[in-house]
Amino acid sequence: MNVSKSEITKETSLKPSRRSLPCLAQSYAYSKSLSQSTSLFQSTESESQAPTSVTLLSAGKAEPVNAEEDKKDSVLKCSFADLSDFCLALGKDKDYMDESEHANYDRSRLIRDSVPRDNSESKAKLSKNDMNYIASSGLLFKDGKKRIDYILVYRKSNIQYDKRNTFEKNLRAEGLMLEKEPAVANSDIMFIKIHIPWDTLCKYAERLNIRMPFRKKCYYTDRRSKSMGSVQNYFRRIKKWMAQNPMVLDKSAFPNLQESDCYTGPFSRARIHHFIINNKDTFFSNATRSRIVYHMLQHTKYENGISKVGICKLINNGSYIAAFPPHEGAYKSSQPIKTHGPQNNRHLLYERWARWGMWYKHQPLDLIRLYFGEKIGLYFAWLGWYTGMLIPAALVGLCVFFYGIFTMNGSQVSQEICKATEVFMCPLCDKNCSLQRLNESCIYAKVTYLFDNGGTVFFAIFMAIWATVFLEFWKRRRSTLTYTWDLIEWEEEEETLRPQFEAKYYKMERVNPISGKPEPHQPSSDKITRLLVSISGIFFMISLVITAVFAVVVYRLVVMEQFASFKWNFIKQHWQFATSAAAVCINFVIIMALNLAYEKIAYLLTNLEYPRTESEWENSFALKMFLFQFVNLNSSIFYIAFFLGRFVGHPGNYNKLFNRWRLEECHPSGCLIDLCLQMGVIMFLKQIWNNFMELGYPLIQNWWSRHKIKRGIQDASIPQWENDWNLQPMNIHGLMDEYLEMVLQFGFTTIFVAAFPLAPLLALLNNIIEIRLDAYKFVTQWRRPLPARATDIGIWYGILEGIGILAVITNAFVIAITSDYIPRFVYEYKYGPCASRFEYGENCLKGYVNNSLSFFDLSELGMGKSGYCRYRDYRGPPWSSKPYEFTLQYWHILAARLAFIIVFEHLVFGIKSFIAYLIPDVPKNLYDRIRREKYLVQEMMYEAELEHLQQQRRKSGHPVHHEWP
């Protein structure tokens, strides 16, 4: 249809559809700031291309960028002039606002955002202060304009000059700006400061599909939420009357992280007018700028050849000695933060998170994510969630322990052992052991009762259910965080290939089914072969662990004879305790020594597999390290729980190892005390060692580095990048060590919790320290790590689920086999004094100790003694028709143990599955909000693009239509 020119001048602006009207109307508040940011972009466009100072490295004759990229840039420059008029037309469109007022739409169902709409002045002031601080702290180039996004470090004495020169030349050709500066404290050290200009930043942000904010969020609720408004107001008034929770952080002290209140979309230079650009210097966060620079460093060649790529290889061959993003400044200030405010985000994190005085406060997860990236933010979110969930587990375990303390003196079993002065136990070793009165085990019997009482079964069931609830609610918490941090649309397909993988398989390509582009491919035969070699190495290391445990067992058999004849009377009387304690300490030393070898072997096996992406490499390496250390830590505990004292035979016919050493028996009060000792010592010593290695070792190294600097130079200000260089680098395996420590602790807390109810309490106390220790380490002792992205905790969630399943099985066996719960149960209901009267209570266990001990004729030992001694077993007496054969009660107990294991496992697994079914992974309101926002984003992008095209048609004089230009 043709339209006359007069009709065009009378034409009103485009009236958008009613389905997208509410959120579009709310986005008009940004029209003024958007036009201002566009003019700022125009005014500063030439600055990024201006020549730098004399110290700036010349780009030389760099190769021209792709023609398509230049064409896009020219289109962008042409569209900038129209952008401010377009935004002002949106803000001044009276007909549009009239249409929105009369639209048939329920505006009461639209929740207004609490963030002020017109805060451009405060934002400008804040950004100005930030830039002033950056300039004063030395985080800019020498021209005082370009900020430092990354640091490379090398030694002048290194001979790899050609590789560095080629690499730096290629970096400049890619669009980066470099500036060299020597170190102040060491003349051999040279720093290369890297700045990524705006054009290069936009180009790679588009290539990497980085999501950026483009509209303010508007929340759409249902009628149920509307009807609940009065109830919410009532509870809000009650909350005001109550005292403020001391654990909650003061939100006024933290910056307004407004990117979480905006819709986001993949950045596009062709649609740059869609995005909220208040300041081009702060539009891309420091974490995003660092990620883009690191991507360029990883994919830049330093020599001819497909495999000569990446900063990692240059660091491995010594061309560079470090590459890291700089911290935002000092973490301490001479001025108090309450009166002068934080100098930077690092200073704020230290004052409000990393200080030990903040141990009881919640964590500022949004600020952690902003500074360190989503991957580290998710780790601290998981660690905080795990620590909070340990509180009910620790309280219940403490109640079970105190129940044992309060009922210990009234225990029938403990009373009978303490009063058995005329009962002699058979010798526990062949040469130096003598007969022992049963009442000498009185203390051990009482201590055993603390961990083996009526609450043990309840606590084991509770911890199995607790593990399921913890994991299910963590999935809900994770889904909320991924939504808040805009990780919903971030998928693994966006992850780039590892340079090692590309260099190895560049000749074999196939089309990626997701992107439709050819990429290197690893053949299935090659992959299976490498996996088989890796699995063989894993089994070899596990067999080495079992060999080490066997060596400790042999040590226990050898030294128990020596301790039984020791000169010190205390050790001679408690030789079993001394044997166990010495074996635990030796086992701990072996564990820590083998861990060093495991890490190197796991690293070699993982590289042998050539994983496709970094996440696959991390998952493979983490699984190997977990298997190695889990078997290393728990193999001795499994031996004590399920093998110690099970196959010793009986007096007169003991089983011997290599026909020489008699197998070790349990204490007369049972094997549970040995299991508690093993768990307690390993858990306590390992936590102390880990805390020292995480904080103490970096503190010592950093102190020595500062000492050398002060000794070598007197009055000179050290720049920020050199201070960062003197800090310790983050572990090359990233967060693997942090997760591994906590997952192994989770195993200690759940797998053998029936034998050690205080494990959750020890874990809780350790984690309270661990959170602040890790925070202090990340903020003050380590260089700033690369701010990586992630949507979950990776393979660790699957490992935690596996530990939860193993914990149910293990606790069932501990209760049925290791503890005396089943023998007491069978005696109470079948052989005790109450078996025929159907009356149950503590007196029903009367005579249990005598019933659980068998007789042996001392004359058969050839020791010149007569009479009978007792030993723990259910065998016939010497005067029976079948002496020393298993009695019927033994088979009854065995059947009851097997039945208990089956019933316990099925009951607990059923409860776990039912709870997992009841708890959805994503909250219902969050699920609805995600679906609603996807719909609104599509509509807003359509309307904004349509309005932009309408403006272009008006300027060019073409006719304007209502629905499509």
Side-chain angles (χ1 to χ4, degrees):
M1 182 180 67
N2 296 327
V3 182
S4 64
K5 190 172 182 179
S6 60
E7 290 175 337
I8 295 176
T9 57
K10 297 178 182 178
E11 185 67 38
T12 59
S13 61
L14 179 69
K15 297 181 176 62
S17 59
R18 290 180 179 177
R19 57 182 177 177
S20 62
L21 183 61
C23 285
L24 282 174
Q26 194 177 31
S27 67
Y28 291 159
Y30 287 93
S31 59
K32 185 176 180 180
S33 61
L34 185 60
S35 61
Q36 291 176 351
S37 65
T38 308
S39 61
L40 176 64
F41 182 87
Q42 286 179 308
S43 63
T44 55
E45 182 70 26
S46 59
E47 291 184 6
S48 62
Q49 304 296 336
T52 60
S53 60
V54 179
T55 58
L56 185 65
L57 296 179
S58 175
K61 294 184 180 180
E63 297 180 4
V65 189
N66 195 344
E68 293 185 1
E69 304 292 347
D70 291 336
K71 186 175 181 181
K72 290 183 179 179
D73 292 339
S74 62
V75 172
L76 286 176
K77 293 177 181 178
C78 293
S79 63
F80 291 148
D82 305 332
L83 188 54
S84 59
D85 295 336
F86 158 67
C87 296
L88 291 175
L90 284 177
K92 297 178 181 179
D93 194 349
K94 192 170 183 179
D95 294 336
Y96 186 95
M97 298 307 294
D98 292 340
E99 176 69 15
S100 65
E101 290 175 3
H102 297 290
N104 186 15
Y105 194 88
D106 189 1
R107 290 179 174 274
S108 61
R109 298 168 71 183
L110 192 64
I111 301 176
R112 298 292 181 182
D113 203 295
S114 59
V115 180
R117 297 178 181 275
D118 192 7
N119 54 357
S120 57
E121 294 183 1
S122 61
K123 288 181 180 178
K125 183 178 179 181
L126 180 61
S127 61
K128 184 177 180 180
N129 293 336
D130 291 342
M131 295 305 296
N132 289 338
Y133 175 76
I134 290 174
S136 63
S137 60
L139 294 175
L140 299 176
F141 275 29
K142 289 184 178 180
D143 61 0
K145 296 179 180 180
K146 303 176 184 64
R147 72 163 61 191
I148 301 173
D149 296 310
Y150 226 85
I151 296 292
L152 300 181
V153 189
Y154 69 90
R155 296 186 185 276
K156 298 178 184 178
S157 57
N158 187 275
I159 60 175
Q160 305 280 355
Y161 173 77
D162 293 336
K163 294 180 180 179
R164 286 197 304 269
N165 190 33
T166 304
F167 184 69
E168 293 163 11
K169 180 180 178 181
N170 292 334
L171 288 178
R172 293 193 295 272
E174 287 292 328
L176 295 179
M177 294 184 177
L178 311 181
E179 185 179 69
K180 290 186 178 181
E181 184 165 334
V184 176
N186 190 342
S187 58
D188 189 39
I189 298 296
M190 180 67 73
F191 295 99
I192 299 179
K193 299 175 285 185
I194 299 178
H195 168 75
I196 179 168
W198 173 257
D199 289 343
T200 308
L201 199 59
C202 293
K203 179 175 68 175
Y204 276 90
E206 183 175 3
R207 287 183 182 179
L208 299 177
N209 291 325
I210 294 178
R211 302 180 66 85
M212 300 304 295
F214 67 88
R215 284 294 184 272
K216 196 72 174 176
K217 281 185 180 179
C218 57
Y219 300 106
Y220 189 82
T221 60
D222 54 11
R223 296 187 180 275
R224 181 183 63 179
S225 299
K226 179 181 176 182
S227 63
M228 292 292 290
S230 59
V231 180
Q232 292 176 354
N233 291 333
Y234 175 74
F235 282 109
R236 194 176 294 114
R237 289 193 220 103
I238 295 178
K239 189 176 180 180
K240 288 182 179 180
W241 294 339
M242 299 172 61
Q244 186 181 7
N245 186 354
M247 299 175 67
V248 177
L249 290 166
D250 184 11
K251 293 184 179 180
S252 62
F254 292 90
N256 187 13
L257 307 176
Q258 294 188 359
E259 61 269 17
S260 62
D261 295 326
C262 298
Y263 294 115
T264 61
F267 183 78
S268 172
R269 290 177 292 172
R271 296 181 176 180
I272 197 171
H273 50 276
H274 291 171
F275 297 92
I276 305 173
I277 308 179
N278 297 310
N279 186 344
K280 76 179 186 66
D281 291 324
T282 58
F283 177 63
F284 292 102
S285 65
N286 291 339
T288 303
R289 298 171 69 100
S290 299
R291 278 198 301 269
I292 293 176
V293 173
Y294 180 75
H295 173 82
M296 299 175 69
L297 293 175
Q298 279 289 78
H299 293 80
T300 301
K301 288 186 178 182
Y302 58 87
E303 277 184 353
N304 293 328
I306 190 67
S307 62
K308 309 297 184 180
V309 180
I311 186 64
C312 292
K313 288 192 175 182
L314 287 172
I315 291 177
N316 291 335
N317 63 31
S319 300
Y320 294 95
I321 55 179
F324 54 89
H327 277 293
E328 293 184 3
Y331 66 89
K332 284 186 177 181
S333 175
S334 58
Q335 300 172 340
I337 190 173
K338 292 184 178 180
T339 57
H340 293 77
Q343 290 186 349
N344 52 71
N345 286 336
R346 187 188 185 194
H347 181 213
L348 182 60
L349 282 172
Y350 174 76
E351 292 291 339
R352 294 290 184 262
W353 178 50
R355 287 195 305 112
W356 295 102
M358 308 299 291
W359 65 270
Y360 62 94
K361 291 284 189 181
H362 292 170
Q363 300 184 87
L365 295 178
D366 289 334
L367 187 59
I368 297 171
R369 169 245 180 178
L370 178 67
Y371 193 81
F372 292 110
E374 288 81 0
K375 194 171 186 178
I376 294 177
L378 273 176
Y379 163 71
F380 281 103
W382 176 83
L383 180 57
W385 184 259
Y386 171 46
T387 304
M389 290 293 291
L390 279 173
I391 295 176
L395 291 176
V396 175
L398 202 59
C399 291
V400 172
F401 183 75
F402 278 114
Y403 170 78
I405 292 178
F406 294 141
T407 60
M408 180 173 54
N409 294 327
S411 172
Q412 182 68 30
V413 177
S414 300
Q415 289 180 1
E416 290 185 3
I417 292 178
C418 294
K419 294 178 181 179
T421 57
E422 301 300 327
V423 178
F424 292 91
M425 302 299 294
C426 296
L428 297 178
C429 58
D430 290 335
K431 298 180 180 179
N432 300 318
C433 298
S434 58
L435 298 178
Q436 181 181 2
R437 296 181 186 271
L438 182 59
N439 67 330
E440 295 179 5
S441 304
C442 179
I443 297 177
Y444 294 100
K446 291 182 178 181
V447 173
T448 301
Y449 181 79
L450 296 178
F451 306 101
D452 185 12
N453 52 62
T456 302
V457 177
F458 163 76
F459 189 55
I461 296 175
F462 171 82
M463 287 302 297
I465 297 173
W466 172 87
T468 301
V469 172
F470 160 64
L471 293 176
E472 291 299 322
F473 275 97
W474 163 247
K475 287 194 288 188
R476 293 170 62 88
R477 174 64 173 160
R478 184 199 67 84
S479 63
T480 303
L481 287 175
T482 53
Y483 166 78
T484 306
W485 294 349
D486 192 34
L487 298 171
I488 297 296
E489 300 295 332
W490 190 82
E491 299 291 343
E492 191 271 336
E493 284 74 22
E494 299 180 34
E495 195 173 4
T496 57
L497 299 177
R498 298 180 71 236
Q500 295 86 344
F501 181 86
E502 291 182 305
K504 179 70 176 178
Y505 299 103
Y506 71 95
K507 295 182 179 180
M508 293 165 281
E509 291 187 345
R510 75 169 184 180
V511 177
N512 189 312
I514 306 300
S515 63
K517 299 178 181 179
E519 68 177 18
H521 170 65
Q522 184 180 16
S524 301
S525 58
D526 182 74
K527 187 174 184 178
I528 293 174
T529 303
R530 293 179 181 277
L531 283 177
L532 289 176
V533 174
S534 180
I535 292 173
S536 302
I538 292 173
F539 278 108
F540 172 76
M541 294 306 299
I542 291 177
S543 63
L544 184 62
V545 174
I546 297 175
T547 304
V549 173
F550 181 77
V552 175
V553 171
V554 174
Y555 164 81
R556 293 172 67 110
L557 301 180
V558 173
V559 301
M560 67 178 185
E561 294 277 356
Q562 306 300 324
F563 281 135
S565 59
F566 211 74
K567 295 181 180 180
W568 293 353
N569 191 35
F570 176 80
I571 295 181
K572 187 175 182 180
Q573 290 181 353
H574 306 281
W575 60 271
Q576 279 188 302
F577 177 80
T579 301
S580 299
V584 169
C585 296
I586 293 176
N587 186 51
F588 177 77
V589 173
I590 294 176
I591 287 172
M592 302 312 297
L594 289 177
N595 283 344
L596 300 177
Y598 293 158
E599 184 175 349
K600 296 181 179 179
I601 294 176
Y603 189 81
L604 292 175
L605 293 177
T606 306
N607 286 334
L608 180 66
E609 296 174 6
Y610 280 98
R612 179 174 171 271
T613 62
E614 285 297 331
S615 61
E616 290 182 6
W617 189 96
E618 291 177 1
N619 290 340
S620 179
F621 182 74
L623 181 61
K624 292 179 181 61
M625 286 298 297
F626 169 76
L627 289 175
F628 291 160
Q629 294 209 18
F630 180 81
V631 175
N632 194 20
L633 278 175
N634 294 282
S635 54
S636 59
I637 298 177
F638 271 91
Y639 164 75
I640 293 175
F642 304 125
F643 296 98
L644 179 63
R646 302 282 177 250
F647 311 102
V648 296
H650 61 85
N653 188 23
Y654 284 113
N655 298 322
K656 294 187 177 181
L657 183 64
F658 304 132
N659 293 322
R660 181 176 181 180
W661 294 299
R662 171 180 160 184
L663 296 181
E664 188 178 3
E665 292 186 60
C666 292
H667 199 271
S669 60
C671 295
L672 200 64
I673 188 66
D674 294 311
L675 182 59
C676 295
L677 178 65
Q678 185 84 6
M679 288 187 61
V681 171
I682 290 180
M683 191 173 184
F684 180 74
L685 291 180
K686 194 171 189 305
Q687 288 178 352
I688 292 179
W689 176 260
N690 288 337
N691 292 339
F692 170 76
M693 292 302 295
E694 287 183 9
L695 184 62
Y697 185 66
L699 276 174
I700 294 174
Q701 287 186 316
N702 291 335
W703 171 83
W704 179 247
S705 298
R706 292 192 300 269
H707 177 71
K708 290 192 297 183
I709 292 174
K710 292 179 180 178
R711 187 176 56 185
I713 190 167
Q714 297 297 328
D715 298 326
S717 59
I718 305 297
Q720 180 61 47
W721 57 84
E722 190 164 348
N723 286 327
D724 293 347
W725 156 248
N726 292 323
L727 297 177
Q728 295 302 308
M730 186 180 177
N731 192 297
I732 58 174
H733 308 312
L735 293 170
M736 195 278 301
D737 288 339
E738 316 298 329
Y739 275 117
L740 181 61
E741 178 187 354
M742 291 294 103
V743 170
L744 291 174
Q745 184 204 83
F746 180 80
F748 265 94
T749 306
T750 55
I751 292 180
F752 291 99
V753 73
F756 193 53
L758 294 180
L761 178 63
L762 293 180
L764 174 63
L765 297 177
N766 175 79
N767 287 6
I768 293 174
I769 300 174
E770 181 75 19
I771 291 177
R772 304 304 159 180
L773 187 147
D774 284 346
Y776 185 82
K777 178 177 61 180
F778 272 93
V779 174
T780 68
Q781 301 302 311
W782 277 359
R783 297 173 195 163
R784 188 177 185 179
L786 178 70
R789 305 200 84 187
T791 57
D792 53 27
I793 60 176
I795 197 174
W796 299 109
Y797 183 83
I799 293 175
L800 290 172
E801 283 191 326
I803 290 176
I805 295 173
L806 180 62
V808 176
I809 301 173
T810 306
N811 283 306
F813 276 89
V814 168
I815 296 172
I817 296 176
T818 309
S819 74
D820 287 339
Y821 177 79
I822 298 300
R824 290 198 303 264
F825 181 83
V826 172
Y827 178 81
E828 186 175 0
Y829 286 89
K830 181 66 177 177
Y831 298 95
C834 302
S836 58
R837 300 199 305 265
F838 300 100
E839 297 177 2
Y840 304 106
E842 190 67 27
N843 292 329
C844 295
L845 289 175
K846 187 176 181 180
Y848 166 75
V849 174
N850 183 64
N851 177 265
S852 63
L853 299 177
S854 300
F855 288 88
F856 179 75
D857 190 356
L858 286 173
S859 61
E860 299 182 19
L861 292 178
M863 298 174 58
K865 295 183 180 180
S866 59
Y868 298 99
C869 66
R870 311 294 295 272
Y871 61 98
R872 285 174 55 90
D873 211 340
Y874 293 94
R875 295 179 180 269
W879 56 83
S880 65
S881 58
K882 296 181 179 180
Y884 310 126
E885 294 290 332
F886 289 120
T887 62
L888 183 62
Q889 186 176 355
Y890 169 84
W891 300 109
H892 285 167
I893 292 174
L894 180 61
R897 282 172 168 165
L898 295 177
F900 175 83
I901 292 173
I902 295 173
V903 172
F904 183 89
E905 289 180 357
H906 283 72
L907 175 65
V908 176
F909 280 135
I911 296 174
K912 284 168 65 71
S913 301
F914 182 69
I915 292 175
Y917 172 77
L918 288 180
I919 303 175
D921 294 346
V922 181
K924 180 64 168 60
N925 59 344
L926 179 60
Y927 178 75
D928 293 338
R929 183 179 294 179
I930 292 173
R931 294 182 61 191
R932 172 68 177 170
E933 288 186 4
K934 285 183 179 179
Y935 169 77
L936 290 176
V937 165
Q938 294 176 354
E939 293 298 317
M940 284 187 291
M941 295 290 286
Y942 166 77
E943 297 291 353
E945 187 67 22
L946 195 59
E947 185 68 23
H948 180 59
L949 293 176
Q950 291 277 25
Q951 293 291 334
Q952 288 182 338
R953 282 182 173 271
R954 289 192 186 97
K955 285 186 175 292
S956 61
H958 290 85
V960 179
H961 299 282
H962 287 281
E963 294 299 332
W964 190 255

